Amino acid sequence: MEGIEHDPARTEQRILCASCGTVIAPNPANMCVNCIRGDVDITEGIPKQATIHFCRGCDRYLQPPNIWVKADLESRELLALCLKKLRGLNKVRLVDAGFIWTEPHSKRIKVKLTIQKEVFAATILQQVFVTEFIVASQHCEECQRVDAQLTWKAVVQVRQKVLHKRTFLWLEQLILKHNAHKDTTNIKEYRDGLDFYYVHRNHAAKMVDFLQAVVPMKMKTSEQLISQDIHSGTSTYKFTYSVELVPICKDDLVCLHPKLARQLSDTNPLVLCNRVSNTINLLDPNTLRVAELRSPVYWDAPFTSLCEAKDLVEFYVIDSTLEGPQNGRFALATVEVCRSSDMSRTFFARSHLGRILNPGDHVLGYDLTHANFNSDNWDKLNRAGKLVGGIPDVMLVRKSYPNARKKGKSRGWKLKTLGKEEELELVNRGKSEKARQEMDYELFLRDIEEDAELRGMINLYKDPNARAAAEAALAAQQQHESPNEMDHDGMDQDEGENEDDEEEPEADFPEIDVTELLEDMEALKIGGHDVDAEEEQAAEHTAEHTDDQMME
């Protein structure tokens, strides 16, 4: 007979609870769970009720000591804020935390907490409890200032004494790219500049530092006493930073003082403003020499420009001959031009645009044949007559693309703008003022298209409406070009001759590559509401299509 193996069943030892006598498994406390919970409360020291402060003006909660944070109901941010209000949580282990639903208008927030703590040797007790938070109303400092009509403590006033807005359009894009306006409470637009309002003085000082890094300027600071407490010796002031920009812009014609011209590497007094950054870059078209004029040097002996962008005249290029000297993207050339409106007289001019000008092109420049400027520097230049090559009849500035502009092709990109508040004088401006501002904006967009270096300094965004506008324009053009059945043959021949007379657009017309554009996240519809609306429209379209098929 084979032997039978005996495997006795294992039995767990049991003991009696030291308090109530219940049979339990052995543990270091020799007590059951109910007795341990009755004798030890691990939630001791953690408040079951607390108060959080809420600002009804801006919908923010107070995070002590003086930080106001934005948080939605039952959000992760609000839960973190509530847990920070509970003292004693650092002595226990937090296992879980969550909200218990309450009425939104009840001013009560309930949080369910699960914690663990070691009560005896190798004995860990877990407990669940609810903490109630009372939402108390309290105005933040910003809302208090709004109610007391003290909405700002410091203001930065930026002004430029010119007739156009192209400098501020460029400065606006720089501010948007670097997010330099994040601390502003309000931005007001005036006829000759912008005002930036701040709650704290150090925020205004940061804006002034940013402006000093990107534009040539000078600044004055003033302060106004608002209130004073003689008992505590404290006072409240409003600070004003007055910033004035240099009234010299890109493509302006400038005549320097002879002494200043000698300081700038002995350049010619009659120069063009090539670029404006934290310094003014001046280009001599006769020698291709570039001089940098710093802001302190300019304000020691300020001067104004002789001609601005509105004074540019279109010329037609008859011939262009390179002379040899080059400086980066500039090449010296002798160009024969005539006015596009009057081809009976031709001019010879030395220009820095030798690389891009060819016979048959159009170029913008200043006509100085009968110029008479109210400038002391210009009078000194005429009396001295020491300009290399003499005072030219024409100063060429930049290439023009009139044929491509006539096509009216829509741009596939757009720019963002600051949320500005216009003054009453700008709201009630006339038609001529609006037309001038629209022209300034169009010239600024053309500068962006033609200058790759300028595009690298700002952000360009894709325009979602550009494709639809281009398709509509193409359809309108095709409809306009389609021959009418009722027209006579003679009229068709005249139209064909007119089409032949139209010039083709320039081959080197600058176009912005799609890779340089950014996605406008604000224009994208990502929210659930927009998606539902699109689904409803798609469902309606499908239903209509099905009904049409059934009718057929």
Side-chain angles (χ1 to χ4, degrees):
M1 294 180 62
E2 297 180 359
I4 300 176
E5 296 181 358
H6 176 67
D7 186 12
R10 296 182 179 180
T11 59
E12 185 179 3
Q13 295 181 357
R14 296 284 180 170
I15 63 173
L16 298 179
C17 176
S19 296
C20 62
T22 305
V23 179
I24 60 172
N27 59 65
N30 294 329
M31 297 173 63
C32 63
V33 176
N34 295 330
C35 293
I36 293 176
R37 288 179 178 175
D39 294 346
V40 180
D41 184 13
I42 63 175
T43 64
E44 185 179 1
I46 302 176
K48 305 301 185 296
Q49 193 175 51
T51 303
I52 59 175
H53 296 88
F54 175 74
C55 178
R56 293 181 296 179
C58 56
D59 294 339
R60 294 187 298 175
Y61 292 89
L62 175 62
Q63 179 178 336
N66 55 1
I67 300 176
W68 292 85
V69 295
K70 184 77 173 179
D72 298 329
L73 288 176
E74 299 188 3
S75 63
R76 183 179 300 178
E77 293 80 8
L78 183 57
L79 181 60
L81 181 64
C82 293
L83 295 179
K84 290 180 181 179
K85 295 285 291 184
L86 298 179
R87 297 181 179 180
L89 280 181
N90 56 347
K91 299 179 181 179
V92 297
R93 179 188 176 191
L94 181 63
V95 178
D96 188 20
F99 289 100
I100 298 177
W101 186 86
T102 56
E103 290 287 346
H105 61 273
S106 63
K107 299 295 183 181
R108 297 292 187 274
I109 297 176
K110 293 184 178 181
V111 179
K112 181 180 179 181
L113 302 175
T114 303
I115 60 174
Q116 291 181 352
K117 185 178 181 181
E118 185 177 359
V119 292
F120 298 109
T123 301
I124 297 177
L125 184 63
Q126 179 172 313
Q127 190 170 347
V128 179
F129 67 101
V130 176
T131 300
E132 185 181 39
F133 294 89
I134 301 174
V135 181
S137 298
Q138 178 181 339
H139 277 305
C140 62
E141 295 181 0
E142 289 80 1
C143 294
Q144 288 178 2
R145 290 191 178 94
V146 171
D147 294 341
Q149 296 183 355
L150 298 174
T151 56
W152 58 274
K153 191 174 182 180
V155 59
V156 179
Q157 299 176 344
V158 186
R159 298 291 184 269
Q160 187 183 32
K161 297 178 181 179
V162 292
L163 298 178
H164 57 80
K165 287 280 188 178
R166 289 189 297 134
T167 302
F168 285 99
L169 292 174
W170 171 71
L171 183 60
E172 180 180 2
Q173 298 304 317
L174 281 181
I175 292 174
L176 285 170
K177 180 174 182 178
H178 298 280
N179 199 21
H181 65 295
K182 61 179 180 179
D183 298 321
T184 57
T185 58
N186 191 19
I187 302 175
K188 287 187 178 181
E189 182 179 8
Y190 292 87
R191 186 178 298 275
D192 56 349
L194 297 172
D195 283 1
F196 299 88
Y197 294 89
Y198 297 90
V199 177
H200 302 288
R201 183 184 180 185
N202 57 342
H203 293 162
K206 288 173 59 178
M207 172 58 82
V208 173
D209 294 339
F210 172 78
L211 294 175
Q212 287 178 342
V214 296
V215 290
M217 48 160 279
K218 69 175 182 179
M219 182 194 64
K220 292 182 180 179
T221 306
S222 61
E223 58 185 27
Q224 179 185 2
L225 179 63
I226 302 301
S227 62
Q228 184 177 10
D229 188 354
I230 60 175
H231 300 286
S232 60
T234 58
S235 303
T236 303
Y237 291 90
K238 279 188 175 182
F239 301 92
T240 302
Y241 297 88
S242 299
V243 176
E244 183 179 355
L245 305 184
V246 171
I248 306 297
C249 303
K250 185 176 179 292
D251 297 337
D252 285 359
L253 180 63
V254 176
C255 186
L256 304 176
H257 191 275
K259 182 179 179 181
L260 179 59
R262 288 192 297 269
Q263 293 178 359
L264 299 177
S265 303
D266 198 16
T267 185
N268 287 328
L270 194 62
V271 291
L272 291 172
C273 178
N274 179 41
R275 185 170 304 282
V276 177
S277 56
N278 55 352
T279 59
I280 305 175
N281 289 1
L282 302 175
L283 171 66
D284 182 10
N286 291 319
T287 61
L288 301 184
R289 186 177 299 172
V290 178
E292 288 190 357
L293 180 62
R294 295 183 295 109
S295 180
V297 178
Y298 172 84
W299 291 113
D300 288 342
F303 55 88
T304 58
S305 57
L306 300 180
C307 297
E308 299 178 353
K310 64 181 181 64
D311 302 320
L312 289 172
V313 180
E314 187 178 277
F315 293 90
Y316 180 78
V317 179
I318 300 175
D319 190 15
S320 177
T321 305
L322 290 174
E323 294 188 3
Q326 298 181 2
N327 184 4
R329 58 191 178 96
F330 302 130
L332 187 61
T334 300
V335 186
E336 183 182 2
V337 297
C338 64
R339 298 186 66 154
S340 299
S341 59
D342 183 14
M343 296 189 177
S344 60
R345 183 181 179 184
T346 61
F347 306 93
F348 286 91
R350 302 184 74 186
S351 174
H352 59 288
L353 304 175
R355 290 184 184 273
I356 58 176
L357 289 185
N358 298 304
D361 291 342
H362 293 79
V363 62
L364 296 176
Y366 298 113
D367 190 355
L368 306 180
T369 53
H370 304 289
N372 185 15
F373 303 110
N374 185 15
S375 172
D376 295 337
N377 296 337
W378 175 259
D379 296 338
K380 292 178 182 179
L381 180 63
N382 282 329
R383 288 195 300 267
K386 295 182 180 180
L387 186 65
V388 177
I391 297 178
D393 294 332
V394 172
M395 290 282 285
L396 303 181
V397 179
R398 62 183 180 185
K399 189 175 180 179
S400 177
Y401 307 90
N403 299 332
R405 300 293 182 189
K406 290 179 182 178
K407 295 295 182 180
K409 184 179 178 181
S410 61
R411 298 181 174 93
W413 52 276
K414 64 177 182 178
L415 299 174
K416 288 187 176 182
T417 57
L418 292 173
K420 301 184 291 290
E421 177 184 347
E422 294 184 350
E423 281 298 303
L424 186 61
E425 59 179 3
L426 293 180
V427 175
N428 299 330
R429 61 182 183 270
K431 293 183 179 180
S432 60
E433 185 73 16
K434 293 181 180 179
R436 186 173 61 83
Q437 290 191 359
E438 292 177 358
M439 180 57 65
D440 290 341
Y441 189 70
E442 176 64 24
L443 292 177
F444 176 66
L445 296 181
R446 293 183 182 182
D447 289 341
I448 295 175
E449 290 177 337
E450 299 173 6
D451 194 341
E453 187 176 352
L454 180 61
R455 290 199 301 270
M457 301 171 63
I458 62 178
N459 289 336
L460 304 179
Y461 298 90
K462 296 179 181 179
D463 189 1
N465 301 325
R467 183 176 180 180
E471 292 177 354
L474 181 61
Q477 183 178 2
Q478 291 177 354
Q479 184 178 2
H480 177 71
E481 293 177 354
S482 61
N484 193 348
E485 296 179 356
M486 302 300 295
D487 290 344
H488 299 286
D489 296 338
M491 296 178 63
D492 294 339
Q493 293 177 0
D494 294 339
E495 290 179 359
E497 293 176 358
N498 293 334
E499 291 178 358
D500 295 337
D501 293 339
E502 293 183 359
E503 298 182 6
E504 296 183 357
E506 292 81 1
D508 58 344
F509 178 72
E511 293 186 1
I512 298 179
D513 193 3
V514 182
T515 57
E516 301 181 30
L517 305 181
L518 302 176
E519 290 286 354
D520 187 5
M521 302 305 297
E522 296 179 0
L524 296 178
K525 297 182 179 180
I526 305 178
H529 177 73
D530 296 332
V531 173
D532 294 340
E534 292 178 0
E535 291 179 353
E536 291 178 2
Q537 293 178 0
E540 292 177 359
H541 178 72
T542 305
E544 292 177 357
H545 183 65
T546 305
D547 293 339
D548 294 339
Q549 289 181 349
M550 293 177 64
M551 291 293 293
E552 291 176 359

